């Protein structure tokens, strides 16, 4: 939450952001958390004998981007924007593209980690 606030402020308020190392560590923690939570949820789904986990894993970890887009809406409401329609269109257009990129990134991490996990658990089963 705090890092997202500083990133949004530096992106839209013309302030310099200089904590790139810390942001990279937070980004790695975000990817690890998405992978772990998605593997856990897919494991629960496989225990319930529902083997349609592909899109579920992608959408589960990709839903982080929905939080980011909703935060950008609330952050925009805290500003005093102009009344020109193009301001809204530019801001929400760029934030949608950034959120969509984050959706693809975190979704791919979740799906690939679940793919690795299911290969591991089903690869250990011995068929006689």
């Amino acid at each position: 939450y705090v890092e997202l606030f500083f990133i949004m402020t530096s992106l839209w308020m013309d302030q310099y952001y200089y904590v790139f190392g810390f942001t990279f560590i937070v980004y790695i923690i975000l990817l690890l958390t998405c992978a772990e939570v998605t593997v856990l949820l897919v494991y629960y789904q496989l225990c319930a004998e529902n083997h349609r986990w592909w899109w579920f894993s992608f959408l589960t970890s990709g839903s982080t981007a929905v939080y980011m887009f909703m935060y950008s809406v609330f952050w925009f409401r805290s500003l005093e924007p102009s009344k020109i329609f193009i301001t809204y269109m530019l801001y929400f257009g760029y934030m949608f593209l950034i959120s969509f990129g984050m959706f693809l990134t975190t979704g791919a991490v979740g799906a690939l980690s679940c793919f690795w996990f299911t290969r591991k658990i089903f690869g250990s089963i011995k068929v006689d």
Side-chain angles (χ1 to χ4, degrees):
Y1 173 75
V2 173
E3 279 304 305
L4 193 55
F5 173 78
F6 286 127
I7 291 171
M8 297 279 289
T9 303
S10 68
L11 186 65
W12 295 106
M13 302 290 285
D14 292 332
Q15 294 181 359
Y16 185 69
Y17 187 75
Y18 52 88
V19 197
F20 294 109
F22 184 70
T23 304
F24 180 71
I25 292 170
V26 169
Y27 180 68
I28 296 298
I29 291 172
L30 170 74
L31 293 181
L32 287 173
T33 305
C34 285
E36 290 174 353
V37 168
T38 305
V39 165
L40 182 68
L41 291 175
V42 165
Y43 178 72
Y44 288 151
Q45 190 175 11
L46 291 174
C47 285
E49 297 180 2
N50 184 1
H51 298 287
R52 296 181 182 180
W53 60 270
W54 290 87
W55 284 109
F56 179 75
S57 66
F58 190 81
L59 294 175
T60 299
S61 59
S63 65
T64 309
V66 175
Y67 168 77
M68 185 176 134
F69 188 76
M70 294 307 295
Y71 181 77
S72 69
V73 170
F74 289 119
W75 189 82
F76 188 74
R77 290 182 63 204
S78 70
L79 300 175
E80 296 179 13
S82 66
K83 303 297 182 199
I84 303 172
F85 178 71
I86 195 71
T87 305
Y88 294 96
M89 201 166 86
L90 278 173
Y91 176 77
F92 289 114
Y94 279 124
M95 287 311 300
F96 175 77
L97 289 176
I98 291 170
S99 298
F100 186 69
M102 186 175 174
F103 175 77
L104 291 177
T105 304
T106 55
V109 165
L112 290 174
S113 62
C114 286
F115 180 70
W116 174 82
F117 174 73
T118 54
R119 296 273 304 197
K120 273 297 201 200
I121 63 170
F122 287 123
S124 67
I125 297 173
K126 299 201 187 276
V127 179
D128 291 330

